[in-house]
Amino acid sequence: MTDDAERVKRLMAAWRGAERTLSHSLLEPTLGELLAGLAEAPYDMDAPADLYGDGVVADLERRVADLLGTEDAAFFPSGTMAQQIALRCWAGRTGSPVVALHPMSHPERWEGGALSVVSGLRTVHPVAEARQPTAAEVREHPEPFGTLMLELPLRDAGFLLPAWEELTELVDAARERDAVVHFDGARLWETTVHFGRPLPEIAALADSVYVSFYKSLGGLSGAALAGSRAFVEETRIWRHRYGGQIFRQFPQALSALAGLAKELPRLPSYVAGARMVAEAMREGFAEAGLPWFRVNPEVPHTHQFQVWLPYEADRLTEAGLRLAEDTGTVLFRRWSPDGPPGLAMTELEVTAPGLTWTPQDVREAVAGFVERVEGV
């Protein structure tokens, strides 16, 4: 067994055996645990199984449309497929193959160039900095574009959201250029606290919205596109062409319904928990005397945020592992070297397990972690 494989084995054992954690990793559940969760979904288990998108899948689509206040919604096996199809459909409708989006957005970083390779689209970037664009940048971008895609929140920049007024101005700026607006809302579910608006009011700003069922809601997989009835019907045609018209998808649909019933109402409390953790974490790092640290953003916009420290990623991952093994407390999981040399970053998420933590718990865990960083 390689050193990396041995560490993964230790990590999984430490995470599963932890007495205290801020959230559960999506990697932790066993097959049996995942199957047991499906039986808890709020659905009639005596109903017929779905066939090519009817039954429980169609019921899930109606539920999403109701939650977002849209005319219709379509289920997709992945968010990557959903967004490629949405942007392709808008290109056909606007007559423009150009999509304006952030260079840190999911299609640019995590989809292997699929927008151009598969769909023949071209992208432009109103802003290059690690933040949301401004209305002025959208309005003054020198190249024409048919669609403005906004990732809400912008994960790779720290799960960042614009202010509500900034978002409405961004949408207005796109409309002034005769462009349509698409929301990459993989994590749109938890934005209501930051925006101070309900989901239908947020979704109503866009011409189409993508949402995920495993991010934030803890589902097995899957996504949905929501919008006007005519637009969603068109995306269903392309879903079939892309191979997304799958014979049976009831496990994904049941887990999505369970997440909507169980996790969606809890998300505001998770956001509040993340803000408490972030503040206590800053205090803990300062008390530990670290020469430099960054919690990004200082006040989280959602229930997820970044932490940056001036150490090698492997060293920090090992320190977090030792803290979990020694104390049963999981504070940090894996660290990434992405970013400037000499810095490492990790993402933190606060869900139900994290709501039991107090500020003192966080500060003590930070102290124990820093102690082990120095000892690695």
Side-chain angles (χ1 to χ4, degrees):
M1 184 177 292
T2 65
D3 290 344
D4 185 62
E6 179 61 32
R7 173 178 281 181
V8 170
K9 183 178 178 181
R10 289 174 57 204
L11 284 168
M12 293 304 300
W15 296 349
R16 284 187 58 84
E19 298 175 0
R20 173 173 290 168
T21 181
L22 292 172
S23 65
H24 292 303
S25 167
L26 294 176
L27 303 177
E28 291 178 38
T30 64
L31 285 173
E33 289 167 344
L34 292 173
L35 288 172
L38 296 182
E40 300 174 0
Y43 201 77
D44 179 9
M45 296 300 170
D46 292 324
D50 61 294
L51 295 175
Y52 294 116
D54 66 0
V56 64
V57 177
D59 290 342
L60 171 63
E61 291 174 337
R62 286 189 288 271
R63 174 68 174 144
V64 171
D66 288 344
L67 285 168
L68 297 179
T70 59
E71 290 182 352
D72 202 357
F75 181 84
F76 285 80
S78 76
T80 296
M81 180 187 291
Q83 294 218 111
Q84 287 181 41
I85 288 174
L87 296 174
R88 182 170 191 153
C89 288
W90 283 127
R93 286 170 172 242
T94 63
S96 171
V98 183
V99 181
L101 76 178
H102 200 287
M104 299 177 77
S105 63
H106 197 278
E108 293 289 66
R109 285 202 163 187
W110 304 108
E111 297 179 15
L115 285 183
S116 60
V117 175
V118 178
S119 300
L121 305 181
R122 186 167 66 86
T123 60
V124 295
H125 305 144
V127 61
E129 298 174 21
R131 58 170 174 79
Q132 293 283 355
T134 66
E137 289 166 336
V138 169
R139 190 176 290 112
E140 297 165 9
H141 189 73
E143 290 193 68
F145 53 86
T147 304
L148 172 66
M149 193 201 90
L150 297 173
E151 185 174 314
L152 303 174
L154 185 58
R155 174 193 174 174
D156 285 351
F159 304 92
L160 299 184
L161 291 165
W164 177 253
E165 294 74 16
E166 293 170 336
L167 180 59
T168 58
E169 290 171 3
L170 275 169
V171 171
D172 289 343
R175 303 271 192 252
E176 291 171 15
R177 301 191 57 150
D178 296 323
V180 298
V181 177
H182 170 74
F183 284 171
D184 175 344
R187 299 173 174 84
L188 191 77
W189 306 114
E190 64 264 33
T191 64
T192 56
V193 175
H194 177 84
F195 287 139
R197 300 293 194 283
L199 284 169
E201 189 172 351
I202 298 169
L205 292 179
D207 296 283
S208 60
V209 178
Y210 144 64
V211 290
S212 172
F213 294 126
Y214 82 88
K215 297 169 182 174
S216 303
L217 298 181
L220 292 178
S221 62
L225 277 178
S228 70
R229 185 164 289 106
F231 177 78
V232 172
E233 278 301 317
E234 183 183 359
T235 68
R236 288 190 172 104
I237 296 172
W238 282 100
R239 180 182 64 187
H240 184 81
R241 291 170 175 161
Y242 271 63
Q245 190 77 355
I246 296 173
F247 180 58
R248 281 203 172 117
Q249 299 177 96
F250 68 87
Q252 290 81 1
L254 287 174
S255 66
L257 287 170
L260 290 171
K262 182 179 178 182
E263 291 299 300
L264 183 58
R266 296 179 177 179
L267 288 175
S269 66
Y270 297 169
V271 176
R275 293 175 176 178
M276 179 279 288
V277 169
E279 181 178 4
M281 193 163 285
R282 291 198 308 272
E283 295 169 353
F285 284 136
E287 292 169 1
L290 285 187
W292 184 90
F293 62 87
R294 185 182 180 192
V295 175
N296 178 46
E298 286 194 1
V299 178
H301 296 176
T302 70
H303 68 303
Q304 298 170 300
F305 59 94
Q306 295 176 338
V307 178
W308 291 79
L309 291 177
Y311 298 93
E312 293 182 352
D314 283 348
R315 183 176 179 179
L316 295 173
T317 298
E318 180 65 23
L321 173 55
R322 292 186 182 183
L323 177 69
E325 291 176 332
D326 295 344
T327 69
T329 296
V330 176
L331 181 63
F332 301 117
R333 296 179 185 269
R334 295 190 184 189
W335 291 76
S336 168
D338 294 345
L343 296 181
M345 183 273 291
T346 191
E347 294 175 342
L348 279 187
E349 178 180 41
V350 176
T351 58
L355 300 184
T356 65
W357 290 54
T358 67
Q360 183 61 28
D361 292 332
V362 177
R363 290 190 292 267
E364 289 176 357
V366 168
F369 171 75
V370 173
E371 179 182 342
R372 286 163 178 81
V373 171
E374 300 301 331
V376 171

